[in-house]
Amino acid sequence: MKYAILLGFMALAFGLCFLGDKVVTAMVNRAKNRKRVMPPLRYPVMALVLALAGGAVAWYGLSIHKPLYLVVAAVFLAVAVWSAVYYCTTGITYDGESFTFRRGNFRKTFRFDQIRGQRSDVTMKIKCLVLCVEDKDVVLYSNMQGYVPFLTCAYESWCKAKGLDPTNQDWHDPADTRWFPEEAEEESEDEETAQSKEA
């Protein structure tokens, strides 16, 4: 009986993996067709893998009557839920004039002409770009889905709003993560401090 349950669980796991592959493929195609920036695909994949692992650990713990395995399974499932929620509630949607940044319960819309500049860094081969927008910094990573299309649209819309020629800006070099004029971190912090004092 125990082996029959194990085989049933394995069949269910393979079925969920197959379904997960179809869902991830659909999400990738959907993201390509929408003007949206989303976290990397590792988050939904991690959620699926941890959910399966959590179920397997919970089943094993129940079969041998070891409560500690249930605790481990609960941790796996909690991280799986967090990954799924983070993936679904974090990102950017945009059009030709503005973009909406959301992270958890926070949501705010900015016009592209509100972008003051950028700061950039490279961490573990992943490029980090901070868009310095009025009263908020928007952090982007090069492994996010829709990263390049969004920045291309943002740059062209920003140049249009500023009356600049997008093809004739010497500092613009996407290959070197230079989409907007570089803004010193100290300058950005000073402006935020001044705004908080005025408020």
Side-chain angles (χ1 to χ4, degrees):
M1 182 65 181
K2 183 170 68 173
Y3 293 107
I5 296 176
L6 178 60
L7 289 174
F9 179 81
M10 291 177 63
L12 177 62
F14 281 116
L16 289 176
C17 287
F18 177 79
L19 179 62
D21 178 68
K22 296 296 183 182
V23 171
V24 168
T25 301
M27 287 191 299
V28 171
N29 294 332
R30 186 180 177 187
K32 289 179 180 178
N33 296 327
R34 296 183 62 186
K35 290 187 174 182
R36 187 172 183 179
V37 181
M38 302 177 68
L41 279 174
R42 69 168 179 261
Y43 287 98
V45 171
M46 182 169 63
L48 177 61
V49 171
L50 288 177
L52 292 174
V57 172
W59 175 84
Y60 183 72
L62 289 173
S63 65
I64 63 173
H65 306 290
K66 294 289 186 179
L68 180 61
Y69 285 92
L70 299 181
V71 175
V72 175
V75 173
F76 282 1
L77 293 174
V79 177
V81 170
W82 174 85
S83 299
V85 171
Y86 176 79
Y87 182 80
C88 294
T89 60
T90 303
I92 295 174
T93 54
Y94 62 97
D95 54 28
E97 297 180 355
S98 62
F99 65 96
T100 300
F101 173 69
R102 58 189 178 88
R103 184 176 57 200
N105 294 326
F106 177 84
R107 180 187 296 264
K108 188 163 184 178
T109 300
F110 302 95
R111 299 187 314 276
F112 286 119
D113 61 3
Q114 290 180 287
I115 299 176
R116 302 192 312 264
Q118 70 164 60
R119 298 193 304 274
S120 59
D121 193 12
V122 178
T123 305
M124 301 280 296
K125 296 184 179 179
I126 297 176
K127 298 176 182 178
C128 173
L129 178 69
V130 180
L131 286 182
C132 303
V133 191
E134 294 179 6
D135 73 23
K136 183 68 179 179
D137 285 348
V138 177
V139 181
L140 297 167
Y141 295 93
S142 59
N143 61 348
M144 298 178 81
Q145 302 175 77
Y147 171 83
V148 172
F150 166 69
L151 288 173
T152 301
C153 178
Y155 171 69
E156 292 175 352
S157 300
W158 180 82
C159 286
K160 181 179 178 181
K162 300 292 184 182
L164 301 174
D165 181 4
T167 63
N168 192 30
Q169 304 302 319
D170 295 337
W171 43 264
H172 179 66
D173 185 7
D176 195 30
T177 322
R178 289 188 292 171
W179 292 88
F180 297 94
E182 203 68 33
E183 179 172 290
E185 186 170 2
E186 294 77 9
E187 178 183 346
S188 177
E189 292 176 351
D190 290 344
E191 289 184 7
E192 291 178 1
T193 303
Q195 288 176 2
S196 62
K197 288 181 178 179
E198 290 176 0

